[in-house]
Amino acid sequence: MFDKPLFDASIIRDMQEIIPGLFLSGSQPTESREYMKEKGITHIVQVTFPNSPRFPGDFIYKIIAVPDMDETNLIEHFPATYTFIHNAIDKGGKVLVHCMAGASRSVTIVCAYLMKTKKIPVTEALNLIEKLRPIAEPNDGFIKQLILYDAIEYDVNINRTEYRRFLMSNMARQREVFGHIKAEDMTLAADPLTQQTSAPSIVSKTAAAAATAAVQEVSKAQLQSFSQKRPLKCKKCRRALVTHDNIITHAPGHGQNAFQYRKRDATLHVSQAIQSNNNNTSASPMSPTVCHSYFIEPVEWLQDVQSLEGKISCPKCDSKLGTFNWSGDQCSCGAWITPAFMLHKGKVDA
Ligand SMILES: [Zn+2]
Ligand SMILES: [Zn+2]
């Protein structure tokens, strides 16, 4: 009974058709133009790093050049790969999604496609794939991104609080692993002074996409409470610092950090933060559960944001407002927040 292999070796050599028109494989089958033609493949999503298309004249390629690491942001490519696969199949084409082993990156892309197409959760989509390709096993970071994708209803958009928290935790993780954050991954909350009323409260490399999304979101945004757009201000000079939308809430005395963005956190809401902040101010100032700081998303006007830690000073009057630390810091209530961008409540007006 022990000599029975876990799966047929042909699984690695071949590609598997997960749903009609959508195939999955490692790199081995992609070395043969004839084999792919035989299977009727017309389009290829190649998720390898480094990479180059092998038969650019024969197939239409979509290249995602990323390594198979927990820290890789794959979710940002889900909208593009979904559209590519959907359009190809819609026109009667056949799509092969592959990486090196056909176990992690490519499986994640196919899983995300199945989730959105069939409106099914991660586990169900993965089961579907594993039945045909038992070696399917996305890395832990990708599993978390798939769970997030479900939580944000397939809407990869920086107006989504959970997605911004994910980007922030990814920045903190990059800072920890590599000692710096890549410029293209630096996503900062918009300076409320330069922010237009209809623009999203974030700027980044995807600002154009976000702006388009923001237009679609206008009616929803109009319904949002005014308090979310209201900025925290410097107590001394009244300079607007950051909107309430960019305040990170935490349960007092509990170490909820920014790395957690699972579905249950979606219930966290700014109004709750304000409520809990109000509750805290009414408590005794000596109480250990009082939060003396606002924790905010890193914002555009911050100085030396690439440093591991530093002071936060008002961009107008230079008075000291707080501190930041990418590795995290402890709130006065005992909660540990990572990363921590703290404004002392005594220095700002809500
Ligand atoms: Zn606190
Ligand atoms: Zn000031």
Side-chain angles (χ1 to χ4, degrees), residues 218-327:
V218 161
S219 56
K220 210 190 263 181
Q222 283 167 340
L223 296 172
Q224 275 181 346
S225 66
F226 178 70
S227 66
Q228 272 179 274
K229 299 284 169 205
R230 202 162 41 91
L232 290 180
K233 290 180 173 175
C234 171
K235 192 155 241 167
K236 195 171 164 197
C237 74
R238 309 288 299 155
R239 206 274 193 194
L241 301 168
V242 66
T243 64
H244 278 74
D245 200 24
N246 301 118
I247 296 176
I248 296 153
T249 63
H250 64 276
H254 297 89
Q256 152 138 29
N257 66 31
F259 286 92
Q260 294 175 319
Y261 46 82
R262 289 188 209 100
K263 209 159 198 171
R264 60 189 170 80
D265 294 317
T267 56
L268 281 177
H269 195 267
V270 171
S271 62
Q272 288 178 333
I274 293 164
Q275 200 181 6
S276 99
N277 289 337
N278 287 345
N279 290 346
N280 292 335
T281 20
S282 64
S284 155
M286 296 306 288
S287 159
T289 57
V290 170
C291 302
H292 293 309
S293 301
Y294 291 109
F295 287 79
I296 61 168
E297 294 174 19
V299 57
E300 279 183 287
W301 50 259
L302 276 174
Q303 299 287 315
D304 303 321
V305 75
Q306 282 283 2
S307 301
L308 176 62
E309 56 186 318
K311 287 176 181 159
I312 300 179
S313 303
C314 173
K316 188 178 173 191
C317 73
D318 206 38
S319 71
K320 191 176 178 251
L321 302 173
T323 56
F324 72 88
N325 192 323
W326 280 104
S327 298

Side-chain angles (χ1 to χ4, degrees), residues 185-204:
D185 288 333
M186 184 64 88
T187 307
L188 300 171
D191 185 336
L193 273 199
T194 58
Q195 191 184 335
Q196 292 172 5
T197 43
S198 64
S201 55
I202 265 283
V203 288
S204 81

Side-chain angles (χ1 to χ4, degrees), residues 1 4 11 15 28 64 88 124 133 162 195 213 224 259 292 308-309 326 342 345:
M1 55 164 59
K4 187 172 179 280
I11 280 172
M15 56 179 79
Q28 203 178 329
I64 312 282
E124 204 174 314
R133 194 170 174 84
E162 304 97 315
Q195 191 184 335
Q224 275 181 346
F259 286 92
H292 293 309
L308 176 62
E309 56 186 318
W326 280 104
M342 315 167 71
K345 285 186 178 174

Side-chain angles (χ1 to χ4, degrees), residues 155 157-159 198-200 202 206-219:
D155 178 26
N157 182 331
I158 48 177
N159 289 314
S198 64
I202 265 283
T206 50
T212 313
V215 172
Q216 292 161 355
E217 291 285 319
V218 161
S219 56

